[in-house]
Amino acid sequence: MALNIRGYAAQSATSPLAPHQFERRDPRADDVVIDILYCGVCHSDIHQARNEWGGSRYPLVPGHEIIGRVAAVGAQVTGFKPGDLVGVGCMVDSCQHCAACQQGLEQYCKEMPTFTYNSVDRRDGLTTYGGYSERIVVNDKFVLRVPEGVDPKSAAPLLCAGITTWSPLRHWHIGKDHKVAIVGLGGLGHMGLKFAKALGADVTLFTRSPGKENEARRLGADHVVLSTDPEQMAAVAGHYDFILDTVPHQHDLNPYLATLKLDGVHVLVGLVEPVNPPVHAGGLIFGRRSLAGSLIGGIAETQEMLDFCAKHGIGADVEMIGIQDINQAYERMLSSDVRYRFVIDMASLNKSA
């Protein structure tokens, strides 16, 4: 029978998130039922709740950085058992037969992945609801094992902010002897610093804000460059193999492209709008430089990242909140008042507002 679930939802693009009850599907034979312990708060949750990207379905229950314990498994599930600590990221299904899915790149599914919330289940046509809730039902192929040694609170943002920065670093084989720059120090940027350093790279933070050097070095940066200072930017011209750009709003890419070596790559993981101002093609042509983009990561790659985090003691820097504080947290995120990711303790659902 369907599960009656408590959570928080936006009822419209202009309404605050508030308590909401809804139904999740009757678990299938290949499903895992998960009691949610923690859920990270992603900037995309705000975009979706406020319909800033268009296509939001209401009521909308956000949340795609989910850590929980297995409550039950379907008859065909062999990889998980009740009590296991597990995670669910941005996807809960895909076609599983296109070329991308066959390569373990479900995020690039030709038929589009089924996203954890504000999406349509490809089997029953029902709307998907996210992790701002007490329980979720997920196809076992999209459930991740959280290794021992990983703090479950700091693991939640790894399932979006973490994998979004890990995937391009791995795809471009970043490691020892590479010079890497991270643009922006936020939820994504702070994970980029940690991963690039742990992979053995020489790491620089590009920032527009003076005074971030100590914090950047704590997170793994070997160098800090103030991108608004022409002298500092000129000093690193032609210096980097790889730039990971985590800034989520339009900004001038040309000064950063000038800091790439021959065959250097500038990868966008934060911006989903048109590039503005335009990129000067000469900056690419006269250095055989590349401007690229990257989207989260596949399930196998996400598991690889979690295992790497366990081995290297890596987690997100988080601030814990109760679900009752979610609307205030959204406003604080918009003013960059969080270091570096909010995580909801879902036990707070049992408390009065």
Side-chain angles (χ1 to χ4, degrees):
M1 57 187 297
L3 305 176
N4 191 28
I5 303 296
R6 295 175 300 155
Y8 265 56
Q11 300 293 335
S12 74
T14 57
S15 63
L17 272 70
H20 176 69
Q21 286 201 328
F22 61 99
E23 285 191 349
R24 292 204 187 273
R25 67 169 181 265
D26 183 22
R28 302 164 184 149
D30 57 354
D31 275 339
V32 178
V33 181
I34 301 166
D35 289 331
I36 299 174
L37 300 174
Y38 307 106
C39 185
V41 181
C42 179
H43 202 115
S44 61
D45 296 345
I46 301 177
H47 290 306
Q48 299 268 37
R50 299 180 178 179
N51 199 27
E52 292 172 350
W53 290 341
S56 293
R57 301 173 177 85
Y58 298 100
L60 188 148
V61 179
H64 58 205
E65 299 176 345
I66 299 166
I67 298 293
R69 289 203 180 274
V70 175
V73 298
Q76 296 177 7
V77 176
T78 59
F80 301 97
K81 65 182 185 306
D84 285 348
L85 187 65
V86 295
V88 178
C90 301
M91 304 175 290
V92 292
D93 207 351
S94 71
C95 81
Q96 300 180 34
H97 58 72
C98 71
C101 288
Q102 289 296 306
Q103 295 177 67
L105 301 173
E106 297 93 347
Q107 73 273 32
Y108 301 118
C109 176
K110 186 175 180 180
E111 298 179 13
M112 289 294 292
T114 302
F115 294 109
T116 305
Y117 70 89
N118 196 39
S119 194
V120 176
D121 187 289
R122 60 201 325 118
R123 298 199 225 178
D124 58 27
L126 298 176
T127 298
T128 60
Y129 298 110
Y132 293 12
S133 58
E134 60 187 337
R135 182 173 275 196
I136 193 167
V137 180
V138 183
N139 180 284
D140 65 337
K141 293 183 177 65
F142 288 79
V143 177
L144 298 147
R145 187 173 300 280
V146 179
E148 289 186 14
V150 174
D151 176 6
K153 299 181 183 70
S154 65
L158 298 177
L159 301 173
C160 180
I163 188 58
T164 296
T165 51
W166 172 261
S167 183
L169 290 167
R170 292 293 286 152
H171 178 73
W172 275 276
H173 306 292
I174 298 304
K176 187 179 179 182
D177 301 326
H178 284 116
K179 289 182 169 58
V180 172
I182 309 296
V183 184
L185 183 56
L188 295 176
H190 94 287
M191 291 308 309
L193 289 175
K194 292 185 180 190
F195 284 144
K197 185 64 176 179
L199 288 167
D202 182 82
V203 187
T204 295
L205 173 70
F206 278 128
T207 179
R208 297 174 59 86
S209 304
K212 287 191 174 179
E213 183 165 354
N214 290 340
E215 181 70 358
R217 291 185 182 278
R218 179 184 72 82
L219 294 166
D222 299 293
H223 320 279
V224 178
V225 172
L226 191 62
S227 58
T228 53
D229 185 333
E231 290 186 4
Q232 290 189 37
M233 293 298 284
V236 292
H239 185 74
Y240 299 106
D241 300 287
F242 184 88
I243 296 173
L244 184 65
D245 190 331
T246 71
V247 176
H249 51 76
Q250 290 175 328
H251 56 291
D252 191 355
L253 306 185
N254 293 288
Y256 302 109
L257 290 168
T259 69
L260 288 173
K261 294 179 179 179
L262 175 67
D263 290 329
V265 182
H266 183 139
V267 180
L268 301 174
V269 295
L271 182 69
V272 296
E273 304 169 56
V275 173
N276 186 40
V279 167
H280 296 292
L284 302 176
I285 292 169
F286 289 97
R288 201 164 62 187
R289 301 175 176 119
S290 300
L291 178 61
S294 180
L295 175 70
I296 52 172
I299 297 302
E301 189 173 48
T302 306
Q303 188 65 61
E304 174 193 64
M305 175 207 63
L306 289 170
D307 295 342
F308 183 88
C309 288
K311 180 178 180 180
H312 293 271
I314 294 174
D317 287 23
V318 304
E319 178 179 337
M320 300 301 298
I321 63 170
I323 188 64
Q324 297 81 5
D325 301 319
I326 188 60
N327 294 298
Q328 179 186 8
Y330 276 14
E331 297 308 314
R332 287 181 57 193
M333 284 178 65
L334 292 173
S335 60
S336 300
D337 180 24
V338 56
R339 291 189 177 180
Y340 286 94
R341 207 73 161 185
F342 288 117
V343 172
I344 305 166
D345 182 348
M346 294 312 303
S348 62
L349 267 175
N350 297 319
K351 301 176 182 178
S352 59

